[in-house]
């Protein structure tokens, strides 16, 4: 299966914006030199695998294994939550920083159609 590069555009956009706004790598929560898609898919893969373990243990009535699988599921979902939280933090840091003199957005402003995804 070929996985799409879901996060490649956000990686490019935030990296370029961080540079324009004079952010250094150590000021960002995400290491944009990494392949974010690989990071995401790795955590999703682990969550999927441990979910299979959970189902097997539940079917066997092995509640100790179920609890252990729940703990691992919690870890993987927390990793995913933190992954997206870090991206959010970078968006927040860059977009609302004093590093750049952002223009005011006029009331009623809408993005021009040429910028909207097709």
């Amino acid at each position: 299966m070929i996985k799409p590069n879901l996060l490649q555009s956000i990686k490019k956009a935030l990296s370029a914006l961080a540079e324009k706004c004079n952010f250094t790598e150590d000021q960002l929560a995400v290491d944009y030199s990494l392949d974010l898609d690989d990071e995401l898919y790795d955590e999703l893969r682990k969550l999927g695998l441990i979910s299979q373990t959970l189902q097997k243990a539940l079917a066997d009535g092995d509640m100790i294994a179920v609890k252990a699988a729940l703990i691992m599921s919690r870890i993987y979902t927390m990793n995913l939550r933190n992954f997206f939280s870090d991206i959010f933090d970078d968006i927040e840091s860059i977009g609302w920083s004093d590093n750049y003199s952002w223009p005011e957005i006029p009331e009623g402003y809408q993005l021009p159609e040429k910028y909207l995804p097709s």
Side-chain angles (χ1 to χ4, degrees), residues 61-76:
D62 185 345
M63 298 311 284
I64 295 172
V66 166
K67 182 68 176 195
L70 280 174
I71 291 168
M72 295 306 299
S73 296
R74 184 174 185 268
I75 290 168
Y76 299 139

Side-chain angles (χ1 to χ4, degrees), residues 10-82:
I10 191 73
K11 174 183 170 176
K12 283 181 176 180
L14 287 178
S15 293
L17 186 55
E19 186 176 324
K20 180 171 183 63
C21 294
N22 300 312
F23 274 78
T24 60
E25 288 180 17
D26 62 319
Q27 292 176 291
L28 299 171
V30 176
D31 180 353
Y32 292 99
S33 68
L34 298 175
D35 184 327
L36 298 184
D37 288 297
D38 280 350
E39 299 287 320
L40 174 62
Y41 283 106
D42 187 51
E43 288 303 320
L44 288 171
R45 181 188 59 77
K46 289 188 259 185
L47 181 59
L49 292 173
I50 201 65
S51 296
Q52 292 173 6
T53 300
L54 183 116
Q55 289 176 358
K56 289 177 188 176
L58 186 58
D60 287 349
D62 185 345
M63 298 311 284
I64 295 172
V66 166
K67 182 68 176 195
L70 280 174
I71 291 168
M72 295 306 299
S73 296
R74 184 174 185 268
I75 290 168
Y76 299 139
T77 56
M78 286 175 62
N79 289 347
L80 287 163
R81 178 177 69 181
N82 291 338

Side-chain angles (χ1 to χ4, degrees), residues 3 14 58 66 90 104-105 117-118:
K3 63 181 170 131
L14 287 178
L58 186 58
V66 166
D90 284 350
E104 291 294 320
I105 298 175
S118 47

